[in-house]
Amino acid sequence: METSSGSLHPEMALPAPAPVSVRSRHYPALDSLRGLAAVVVVFSHYILLWDPSSVGHGTRLLLDGVLVPFFNGRSSVILFFLLSGFVLSLPYKRGNALPYHIFFLRRLARIYVPYVAALALALVADWRFHGPLPMSRWSNLTWTAPLTWPLILQNFLLIGNYDTAQVNTAFWSLAVEMRLSILFPLLCLPLLRLKRSYTFLLFAALVVFNIAAVQIFAHRMRPVSFTNMAEMIAGTVAFAAGILLSRWLELFQTTWGRTPALQRILFFAISLTTLEWSANLPVPHAWIFADVLPVAGGCGVLIATLCSRRVTRILSHRLPAWLGRVSYSLYLVHATVLFSLMHLFFARATRLELLAPYLLLSLLSATAFFFLVEKPCIHLSRTIGRSGRTLSKQPV
């Protein structure tokens, strides 16, 4: 998850494109969108403290229906991957991509170093509060396995076939993000440079492989192995979709400008519905498409965000902008805050009573983490590879 910098879109006579800073070539609305998605992840992990069987029928209908956008953490993470693919591919599209070693070192400074700091906090909390929580099956997937040196090393290096939820339930996406960052040029260049027909075939092959792998390996692999494989494939598809979105951004902007207002609203509504509700479709085997349909919906939401002045204006308000600024820090620390609170106060307070402290402490911790860890890492990433080259102000 990185700062949203990109190319300046060309001026068009039609009233479509969202405003972009000429000097920084930065899309502030994408940061705000990422911040809102991070908040959804925060809420989604809180609601998982209840097993579905322990929730009343009416509440379950609300959570699976009207309230899905507030608790669908999976779709939010897919949106993160889409944003990463979009943002990272823009320098390749402009033809001023960094040399690979500088790109990789910047990614380490921007993404990996804050992750290591958050990992250290999670490990300390795991050591202090280690043990099961009598809440839900999900709550017992974290801080229950022995804290061994191999597990610590695997989390530190982000390699191996290990249970990513044991130390911090949110860290699985960081493993996918860093692995795809290492391979990014191999994924990005073909999708940007190949002819359109070949590009469609390559992306279609990734989608088909995603669907086929879920069907073929769901019951043939150990749960941890299957989960890690499925998450990596889903991340790859979302990254690829983000790259294609950047490739044809100007086409989408032109089309948006020529589209009547009512059709724009309908497009956004269908995209949001596909992003948030497609995994809960009441049809057999809908889970097979659980990571594919949200990618399509997420692309539509990003198109609306990048092209609509109205959406950009909403996302430019102070609160979404601040959430976007601290979104990565919030994502890194909120689960450690959640599990620490539950271990400390579960016997003395109900889960509902701990919601407000959880939200407040998560936001305060994220703000402190941003200023103490993430912001210095952003500065560090900007300094890498500067000598002898004019670089964008925003880190990749």
Side-chain angles (χ1 to χ4, degrees):
M1 296 180 286
E2 53 287 308
T3 306
S4 310
S5 58
S7 61
L8 179 67
H9 13 65
E11 292 297 327
M12 294 182 288
L14 297 167
V20 180
S21 168
V22 173
R23 296 185 66 184
S24 66
R25 295 174 294 185
H26 178 59
Y27 295 100
L30 297 187
D31 291 335
S32 299
L33 187 63
R34 185 183 295 109
L36 295 176
V39 171
V40 171
V41 174
V42 170
F43 277 109
S44 73
H45 285 154
Y46 172 77
I47 209 68
L48 287 171
L49 294 174
W50 283 268
D51 276 324
S53 59
S54 66
V55 178
H57 181 66
T59 304
R60 191 75 254 165
L61 287 177
L62 281 175
L63 293 176
D64 290 339
V66 179
L67 299 180
V68 162
F70 299 100
F71 300 104
N72 194 341
R74 183 74 176 185
S75 290
S76 293
V77 175
I78 289 175
L79 195 60
F80 293 152
F81 291 147
L82 274 168
L83 286 165
S84 292
F86 175 81
V87 170
L88 292 177
S89 63
L90 289 171
Y92 290 90
K93 176 184 175 180
R94 295 194 303 259
N96 65 341
L98 295 168
Y100 178 75
H101 68 285
I102 295 177
F103 166 80
F104 180 65
L105 289 175
R106 283 191 165 202
R107 294 298 288 166
L108 286 179
R110 180 67 183 91
I111 301 297
Y112 182 70
V113 175
Y115 162 75
V116 171
L119 173 63
L121 293 176
L123 288 171
V124 171
D126 187 353
W127 171 77
R128 172 62 180 82
F129 300 114
H130 189 83
L133 283 168
M135 293 182 181
S136 66
R137 180 180 175 275
W138 176 85
S139 68
N140 288 316
L141 298 177
T142 300
W143 299 356
T144 52
L147 192 57
T148 62
W149 283 112
L151 179 62
I152 294 172
L153 189 61
Q154 286 174 317
N155 275 274
F156 178 74
L157 297 176
L158 296 173
I159 59 174
N161 190 27
Y162 64 99
D163 187 353
T164 54
Q166 269 302 324
V167 175
N168 186 306
T169 189
F171 283 175
W172 70 268
S173 68
L174 275 301
V176 174
E177 181 93 16
M178 283 307 303
R179 292 165 185 168
L180 286 173
S181 293
I182 294 172
L183 301 172
F184 188 75
L186 296 177
L187 180 65
C188 179
L189 292 175
L191 290 171
L192 287 181
R193 301 287 184 254
L194 289 176
K195 292 181 179 180
R196 180 176 300 185
S197 57
Y198 294 142
T199 300
F200 282 134
L201 285 175
L202 178 57
F203 183 71
L206 289 173
V207 172
V208 170
F209 181 64
N210 186 328
I211 296 171
V214 171
Q215 291 181 296
I216 294 170
F217 298 111
H219 305 294
R220 291 179 171 86
M221 298 174 68
R222 292 172 51 243
V224 169
S225 302
F226 173 73
T227 299
N228 290 339
M229 180 203 69
E231 289 167 349
M232 190 66 192
I233 298 173
T236 303
V237 172
F239 259 70
I243 294 168
L244 294 181
L245 180 59
S246 76
R247 175 174 176 171
W248 291 308
L249 176 60
E250 290 77 16
L251 173 62
F252 293 133
Q253 290 174 332
T254 303
T255 304
W256 184 274
R258 295 171 177 170
T259 303
L262 183 60
Q263 292 183 24
R264 294 181 192 176
I265 295 172
L266 183 61
F267 173 82
F268 180 75
I270 293 174
S271 298
L272 185 62
T273 300
T274 306
L275 173 65
E276 300 293 354
W277 280 277
S278 57
N280 294 331
L281 292 174
V283 296
H285 307 297
W287 58 274
I288 295 173
F289 304 96
D291 289 329
V292 174
L293 291 178
V295 169
C299 286
V301 170
L302 288 189
I303 290 170
T305 302
L306 291 163
C307 299
S308 170
R309 291 187 180 275
R310 183 170 299 174
V311 174
T312 298
R313 194 158 46 245
I314 293 172
L315 292 174
S316 297
H317 289 174
R318 185 174 298 177
L319 179 59
W322 175 73
L323 290 173
R325 191 180 185 195
V326 301
S327 59
Y328 185 43
S329 294
L330 180 62
Y331 188 84
L332 287 173
V333 303
H334 77 276
T336 299
V337 172
L338 175 62
F339 280 87
S340 297
L341 270 179
M342 294 303 153
H343 277 278
L344 280 170
F345 297 108
F346 178 69
R348 288 172 279 179
T350 66
R351 282 166 280 193
L352 287 175
E353 290 172 339
L354 291 174
L355 173 58
Y358 163 53
L359 296 177
L360 179 61
L361 287 174
S362 292
L363 292 172
L364 290 176
S365 299
T367 303
F369 191 90
F370 173 80
F371 284 107
L372 294 174
V373 178
E374 186 183 355
K375 191 174 181 180
C377 290
I378 293 174
H379 176 73
L380 174 62
S381 73
R382 290 172 178 170
T383 64
I384 296 173
R386 267 190 170 179
S387 58
R389 182 186 176 99
T390 301
L391 298 173
S392 168
K393 286 187 175 184
Q394 299 300 327
V396 294

